[in-house]
């Protein structure tokens, strides 16, 4: 998929400066790990700043690709589909399906609390390899093929909001979910609450 130009849905100096810094980091990095290390302090700054994300991007969505009222809000995406910045809103008690991302990036919690379960594909099935509690300001790198499959659940009485920076157009790429019991994969596209995907 390719757009005509970069799309700043949330067009603010904070988002533009963040994206510019991320692009500079990617350009000079020797590997995704290296880029993540460089991006880390800027991402921490974004998570600590309570003022840059308007309330409308912290709302759940009745009708969404993730189900459970979970909203995937696009904030920014690159013209060539190589980068996206997204807020994922998960209502209290709701959880995402088990899913992958198929691109490296960083994910961090902005509001609320979450439990994350990390899975790995083993012997044709899925194995739970890690489970952790995530608080505001916590963040982690996704570096496929490692740690790319997970499920998150909101554990706080309030909605959780996490910020995703990924090196694809995460709402529009076809990826996978896995059935929690059988471990069967299925094609999956989350979409965005506030933007369409081009066919
Ligand atoms: Fe995810």
């Amino acid at each position: 998929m390719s757009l005509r130009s970069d799309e700043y849905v949330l067009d603010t100096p904070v988002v533009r400066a963040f994206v510019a810094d991320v692009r500079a980091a990617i350009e000079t990095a020797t590997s995704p790990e290296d880029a993540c290390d460089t991006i880390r302090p800027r991402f921490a700054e974004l998570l600590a700043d309570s003022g840059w994300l308007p309330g409308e991007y912290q709302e759940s969505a009745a009708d969404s690709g993730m189900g459970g009222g979970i909203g995937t809000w696009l904030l920014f995406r690159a013209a060539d589909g190589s980068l996206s910045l997204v807020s994922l809103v998960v209502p209290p008690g709701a959880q995402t399906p088990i899913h992958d991302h198929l691109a490296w990036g960083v994910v961090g919690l902005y509001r609320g609390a979450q439990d994350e379960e990390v899975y790995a594909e083993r012997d044709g099935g899925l194995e739970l390899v890690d489970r952790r509690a995530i608080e505001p300001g916590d963040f982690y790198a996704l570096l496929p093929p490692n740690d790319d499959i997970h499920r998150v659940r909101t554990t706080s009485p309030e909605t959780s909001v996490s910020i995703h920076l990924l090196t694809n157009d995460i709402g529009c790429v076809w990826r996978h979910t896995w059935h929690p019991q059988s471990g069967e994969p299925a094609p999956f596209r989350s979409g965005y609450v506030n933007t369409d995907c081009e066919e």
Side-chain angles (χ1 to χ4, degrees):
M1 196 201 84
S2 126
L3 304 161
R4 290 207 343 238
S5 58
D6 287 348
E7 193 175 350
Y8 287 90
V9 177
L10 179 56
D11 193 356
T12 64
V14 170
V15 172
R16 283 194 177 257
F18 178 72
V19 169
D21 288 351
V22 165
R23 282 179 156 159
I26 292 172
E27 217 156 278
T28 55
T30 54
S31 66
E33 289 90 337
D34 185 30
C36 284
D37 285 344
T38 310
I39 291 165
R40 219 170 269 271
R42 283 295 276 116
F43 198 64
E45 216 176 293
L46 199 65
L47 292 177
D49 176 353
S50 62
W52 68 277
L53 187 64
E56 62 181 296
Y57 303 113
Q58 303 185 42
E59 293 289 333
S60 54
D63 200 20
S64 79
M66 283 273 188
I70 297 168
T72 304
W73 296 91
L74 179 68
L75 306 174
F76 161 81
R77 65 179 162 184
D80 63 358
S82 65
L83 195 64
S84 58
L85 182 68
V86 164
S87 72
L88 182 78
V89 180
V90 182
Q95 65 178 9
T96 66
I98 300 170
H99 64 272
D100 61 6
H101 310 82
L102 303 179
W104 68 264
V106 286
V107 180
L109 199 62
Y110 190 61
R111 225 183 80 188
Q114 291 180 348
D115 241 23
E116 186 203 17
E117 290 178 342
V118 182
Y119 294 84
E121 276 186 304
R122 301 257 163 86
D123 306 321
L126 271 193
E127 193 183 312
L128 178 65
V129 293
D130 196 15
R131 175 180 280 149
R132 53 197 174 188
I134 298 173
E135 301 289 332
D138 290 348
F139 60 92
Y140 49 92
L142 299 172
L143 293 161
N146 297 320
D147 301 336
D148 191 39
I149 305 173
H150 73 170
R151 162 162 75 179
V152 298
R153 182 170 58 90
T154 295
T155 52
S156 50
E158 52 168 338
T159 291
S160 73
V161 178
S162 55
I163 305 301
H164 295 58
L165 174 75
L166 285 159
T167 51
N168 62 5
D169 185 2
I170 189 65
C172 292
V173 295
W174 281 98
R175 39 195 175 124
H176 309 89
T177 55
W178 282 263
H179 191 278
Q181 275 83 45
S182 69
E184 276 293 306
F188 168 65
R189 188 164 82 158
S190 65
Y192 295 113
V193 182
N194 55 336
T195 311
D196 289 330
C197 296
E198 281 178 9
E199 293 309 323

